[in-house]
Every structure is written in C-alpha cells, then in structure tokens.
Amino acid sequence: MDNWIKLPGCQYITSTKCNFSSLKPNVYEKIKLRIRAEKGNNTSSWYEVDSFVPFLKAQVGPPEVHLEAEDKAIIINISPPGTKNSAMWDQEDFKYSLVIWKNSSSIEERAETVHARDKIYKLSPETIYCLKVKAELYLQMKVGVYSPVHCISTTVENKLLPPENIEISAKNHSYVLKWDYAYINVTFQVQRLHAYLKRDSENYSDKWESIPNCEDIKITQCVIPQKKSSKEIYFLRVRASDGNNTSLWSEEKKLDTEQQTIMLPPVINIKSSSDSMRIYVSDSEESEKRPVSQDYPPIYEIVFWKNTSNAERKMLEENADFTVPNLQPLTVYCVKARAHLMNGKWNKSSVFSEIVCEKTKPGHTSKVRLIAGICTALFAVAVVICAVKGLWRCINYVFFPSVKPSHVAEYFSEQPLKNLLLSTSEEQTERCFIIENTNMISAVEETNQIDEDNKKYNSQTSQDSGNYSNDDENNGSKTSEELLQQEIIWPEINSVYC
C-alpha cells in the first residue's frame, strides 16, 4: 500500500475524467490506478481500476493532413496520430491509406496507399478533388479512424509535359531506366531518393540526388550502375527541360535492387551410378555476389531425358543436392535446370542452364553376365584346344606312324591300325610270301624282296595254307629278338610264310 503515488494533474479535480498523457509513462508497461471521492472531511473508499498496458489500450486517432496542388497531381503531407507531446506512437511506423474523389462526383472514388509525404498522380488539371486519410499499424492490427475531409483544386496544365511511362529493367550489371516523351530537342534529368526517407514525415524535398551520367541527357533512357552485394530501395523521377522551360517531375518509380536483379542460371554437376544420378545444383559465381541469392533460397526445376529419346521428365527440388532414381544402367542421360523464386515477395525465374550429359554405370546383372561370358569363353577355348590336340594325335597316328626298330617285325605283328581305320569295309586276307634257298639276307635286301613278293603272291587264296610244314610253324614262332638280328640264316628249303 505504500507504493501508491499521487498522479499529477489528477488531484482534487471536479470533472469525471483526467488526462495524464503528459507524464510520458512507459506505454509498454502495465499500469494500475485507483480513485476515490472526497467531500469536505468525508472520503469514500478506494476504487481500483483494472490494470492495463497503455499501448494495447490506446486507439489510433486520425492523422493530420496538408495538401499542395500541381496540374495533374496533389502533394500530400501527413502527420502521425497523437499529439506532439505524446510518447504513444513514437516508435511506430504507420501506413496510410486514403480515398480520393472529384468534388463533383463522390461515386468515382479511388483508394491508394501512401507514405507520410507522397504524391497522388493521374489527376485532371483545374479540377477540385477531395480526400480523407487514415493510419494503420499492420503488425499490431490497429486501424485508426479517417481524418476530416480535405479538398483542393489542381492548377492549370504546364506547357512542358513531364515524361511518362517510366520503366526499369535489369541488364548485365546495370539497371536501365526508360521513359516516353513526345517532344524532341529537350534534355532530361534523373534523380533518386532513398526509400527510408519517405517513412519520415519531415520534408525530404532537398534529399533528392542526381545520378551520374543521367544529367542533361538527350536520350530517353538512363543506365544506372548496379552495386554488388547491395540491397537498396530507391525512388526515381525524371523531368524535361527546354531552355528556360522545365516540366514538373514525372511519376516516381520504385527501384528495388533485389526485385530487379536478374536470376542467372544455375550450374549442374552429376555423379552417376548404375540405376541413379546424384545431381548437385549451385549458383554461378556471379549469382553469389548478388543479394537475391542470399536470403531467399530458390526452388530448382530439373528436366532430364535419355540421350536417345525426346521424352522429358520434370521435377521440382528445394534442395541443391538430390538423387534421381530408377534409371537404366549404361544409358546416357542429359540434364538441365533453372531456378525459381516463388513466395509472397518474389516471383521470378532464371533461364535454363547448359545441358550436361552423363552415362550411368553398369549394373550388378551386367557384371554377372560379363563374368559368366568370360568363363564360358575360357571353357570353350579349353574344349577346342583339347579337341584339336586329340584330333592332331589321331592324324599323326594314322598318317605319320612311328618307325619300328626292324622292318621284319612289322610283318609279323598284328594288322596295322591304319588299315583298320581306312579299309574296314574290305575283307581281311592273309599276306604270304616264299623264300627260296637263301642263306643270308641283309635287312635292306629283305625289305625290297618282301615288297615284291607281296605284290606277286597277294592274289593267292587261303587254300595254300595246307602246304605249310611244322618246321615252318616253329620258325614262325621264333621270338622277335631273333628276327631283329642283323643277319638271319634260313634253311635251304622252299618255304611259304604267312
């Protein structure tokens, strides 16, 4: 109870209201008040008022309005609501909206949003216009009441008209301001004003500054250099001069360096696998120097297709690193991309980047098939080598038999294998020959004699076999070691051998 203090200006008053705004209290802190009545020596008990925060409790009043007229425009100066001594709205930025109409017709109303000091364009000369203004705190959702209605008449039209159709575009590293003008042999001057100065209710007419290379020019455009990594908002205006005559300033054009900046195409890098591609999208080095790419992340539009087909697939990605799945191995895919800024403030797009193509890697199935093919080929080569080697042995055995140690032995051996292979369809016959009273036969002469006897007696039939003697059979059963001797002695009788 000891913390209560007397409220200056509200002691021993006879009215039922009290204004204590001159105290300039902290309007954001909670305040609690109490009040009592007194009459002579009698006093009532204290009545405590519900606590409140002045800023939340306060209502926005009407602003003060002052007007100035031109031939086709009205200059408006607005003071914020409240008194000069009030601290209620010192830290707040108001937005102002007005309604204007011709005095002769209140039906043709036009609503606009204006700054504390602004200009209303596109009016008719020598015409009375009336308007009213209200203030608004957008974030606190506080809307004030309209000011009283103010009326003013525009002046006579100026002989030298101001430039019209002001447009701004971005080109390379500069902004280009263009306008239209009907007359020739005039010069133009361009000025700019920082946008934050318009939020101040004070007169900023002397804050306009000229732009280098845009003074006393004879063309209807002006190139404004672009500052790198700079986010600024300007208002631009142009006027024409013809000797001593000067036009009024044109309609002011707002230049937002972020909005006017051109989005450059992104840069693409690809890393492929057997069934997917990993795509990395990045801003170009030039884009990274521009303010638009720093605070507002873009959305990337990706277009890709097979190199052998024109069928395109599109996808939108917020991340600059993503994967495209479900691709075919060992296939060339081409990719291009562009960036979009789509939100409440931005709505712009870049052109498409350069096309980048990449071939996917072989899949697991292809590797298995490759290994199986190699193994099959090696096995087939081994089989062919073995078959050729076996066939070569058979050919050597049939057509190129190995030489025996003695020519006599081959006639006493079994029938040669080559005869079995080459003449299997012929009837097998015995070979017989006669040796006549020979004492000693050399190995070379015996071979020739046997060949001639084979030709001579080959036609004999098997009926002669009955003339063989037992001695001949004994001689035929001699071992091969005896036949291989260098000289062989036979009995001096006529014998037939088979």
Side-chain angles (χ1 to χ4, degrees):
M1 297 299 295
D2 295 336
N3 292 333
W4 290 97
I5 60 176
K6 292 183 179 181
L7 192 61
C10 296
Q11 304 298 315
Y12 307 108
I13 58 176
T14 58
S15 65
T16 56
K17 65 179 181 179
C18 176
N19 188 339
F20 57 94
S21 58
S22 60
L23 297 178
K24 296 184 178 181
N26 188 339
V27 297
Y28 302 103
E29 289 184 356
K30 186 180 291 186
I31 296 179
K32 190 174 182 65
L33 301 175
R34 67 179 183 176
I35 186 173
R36 74 178 181 181
E38 296 180 355
K39 185 178 181 181
N41 295 328
N42 298 324
T43 59
S44 66
S45 58
W46 289 102
Y47 173 79
E48 293 186 3
V49 180
D50 293 337
S51 60
F52 65 97
V53 177
F55 180 82
L56 299 178
K57 191 75 172 178
Q59 294 181 351
V60 179
E64 295 183 2
V65 180
H66 177 72
L67 303 177
E68 298 178 21
E70 292 183 354
D71 58 350
K72 295 182 180 181
I74 294 176
I75 301 172
I76 183 169
N77 295 277
I78 303 173
S79 299
T83 61
K84 294 182 179 180
N85 296 326
S86 175
M88 183 63 67
W89 314 118
D90 285 350
Q91 306 299 323
E92 304 302 324
D93 290 328
F94 285 98
K95 289 185 177 181
Y96 301 99
S97 59
L98 62 83
V99 178
I100 186 171
W101 63 91
K102 289 182 180 180
N103 189 35
S104 59
S105 175
S106 60
I107 299 177
E108 298 179 3
E109 292 184 348
R110 190 175 101 192
E112 288 189 13
T113 300
V114 294
H115 295 90
R117 181 174 176 83
D118 215 334
K119 187 180 288 189
I120 306 168
Y121 297 96
K122 298 178 182 179
L123 302 179
S124 300
E126 299 182 276
T127 304
I128 298 176
Y129 288 91
C130 297
L131 57 84
K132 58 182 180 179
V133 183
K134 67 178 180 181
E136 178 181 355
L137 291 175
Y138 181 76
L139 295 178
Q140 293 78 11
M141 294 184 293
K142 286 179 173 291
V143 179
V145 295
Y146 276 107
S147 67
V149 175
H150 297 268
C151 296
I152 193 172
S153 177
T154 53
T155 62
V156 179
E157 185 175 8
N158 198 320
K159 293 182 179 179
L160 195 60
L161 299 177
E164 298 178 340
N165 302 324
I166 312 298
E167 296 293 339
I168 300 175
S169 61
K171 184 178 181 181
N172 296 330
H173 302 289
S174 303
Y175 302 107
V176 180
L177 180 70
K178 295 182 179 181
W179 58 88
D180 294 335
Y181 202 71
Y183 304 124
I184 59 175
N185 297 327
V186 295
T187 59
F188 303 97
Q189 182 183 6
V190 181
Q191 290 184 340
R192 67 183 175 187
L193 175 74
H194 288 278
Y196 69 86
L197 294 173
K198 282 209 170 191
R199 294 195 293 267
D200 193 351
S201 60
E202 296 181 0
N203 189 352
Y204 53 79
S205 58
D206 58 342
K207 301 294 193 300
W208 288 90
E209 58 185 17
S210 298
I211 299 177
N213 303 322
C214 294
E215 295 180 283
D216 298 328
I217 57 176
K218 295 185 178 181
I219 58 176
T220 58
Q221 70 176 28
C222 170
V223 178
I224 305 172
Q226 182 180 137
K227 296 181 181 180
K228 294 182 178 180
S229 302
S230 177
K231 296 185 291 184
E232 294 179 314
I233 301 176
Y234 294 100
F235 283 93
L236 304 175
R237 66 182 184 178
V238 188
R239 72 177 178 182
S241 299
D242 181 12
N244 295 327
N245 296 324
T246 302
S247 72
L248 297 173
W249 289 103
S250 68
E251 182 177 351
E252 297 170 5
K253 193 70 175 180
K254 184 177 179 180
L255 169 60
D256 190 331
T257 57
E258 288 183 329
Q259 288 183 342
Q260 292 294 337
T261 301
I262 296 176
M263 291 189 65
L264 298 179
V267 178
I268 300 176
N269 290 305
I270 300 176
K271 184 177 180 181
S272 64
S273 62
S274 60
D275 59 351
S276 64
M277 286 191 308
R278 191 165 185 177
I279 301 177
Y280 304 89
V281 184
S282 60
D283 294 331
S284 63
E285 294 181 359
E286 192 63 31
S287 295
E288 293 175 354
K289 299 177 182 178
R290 302 191 176 194
V292 70
S293 61
Q294 297 175 0
D295 300 330
Y296 303 95
I299 297 175
Y300 297 104
E301 178 185 354
I302 311 300
V303 180
F304 63 97
W305 65 94
K306 289 182 182 179
N307 194 29
T308 57
S309 173
N310 294 326
E312 295 181 347
R313 293 171 57 186
K314 295 182 180 181
M315 55 192 302
L316 295 176
E317 290 290 338
E318 295 183 358
N319 299 322
D321 179 3
F322 54 91
T323 301
V324 180
N326 303 325
L327 301 182
Q328 297 178 0
L330 296 175
T331 304
V332 177
Y333 287 90
C334 295
V335 182
K336 63 181 180 179
R338 64 177 176 177
H340 299 280
L341 282 178
M342 300 178 183
N343 51 40
K345 186 176 182 180
W346 308 108
N347 186 9
K348 60 173 59 180
S349 302
S350 71
V351 297
F352 276 105
S353 65
E354 295 182 357
I355 298 175
V356 179
C357 297
E358 183 78 8
K359 187 176 183 179
T360 53
K361 301 185 181 303
H364 298 292
T365 304
S366 299
K367 292 181 179 179
V368 172
R369 290 178 179 175
L370 180 62
I371 295 173
I374 294 174
C375 294
T376 303
L378 293 176
F379 180 76
V381 170
V383 170
V384 171
I385 292 174
C386 293
V388 171
K389 189 174 181 181
L391 182 60
W392 180 253
R393 287 180 180 177
C394 292
I395 292 173
N396 285 336
Y397 189 78
V398 173
F399 295 100
F400 307 100
S402 58
V403 180
K404 298 293 182 178
S406 176
H407 294 283
V408 177
E410 70 179 59
Y411 291 100
F412 292 93
S413 62
E414 295 180 357
Q415 188 175 357
L417 178 60
K418 64 181 181 179
N419 293 332
L420 296 176
L421 294 174
L422 300 178
S423 59
T424 54
S425 60
E426 296 180 1
E427 183 181 357
Q428 301 296 327
T429 59
E430 294 181 349
R431 292 173 176 263
C432 299
F433 56 90
I434 300 173
I435 299 177
E436 296 180 353
N437 296 329
T438 305
N439 293 329
M440 298 180 69
I441 304 174
S442 64
V444 178
E445 291 175 352
E446 184 182 18
T447 302
N448 294 333
Q449 182 67 33
I450 291 172
D451 292 336
E452 292 176 359
D453 292 341
N454 284 337
K455 295 178 181 179
K456 181 177 181 180
Y457 300 109
N458 192 30
S459 60
Q460 293 182 3
T461 61
S462 59
Q463 294 177 357
D464 297 333
S465 63
N467 299 326
Y468 296 163
S469 63
N470 292 332
D471 293 338
D472 295 334
E473 293 177 357
N474 292 333
N475 291 333
S477 62
K478 290 182 179 181
T479 62
S480 60
E481 294 179 358
E482 294 174 347
L483 296 175
L484 293 175
Q485 294 179 359
Q486 191 172 11
E487 291 183 356
I488 303 174
I489 301 175
W490 301 92
E492 296 180 3
I493 60 175
N494 294 331
S495 301
V496 179
Y497 289 87
C498 295

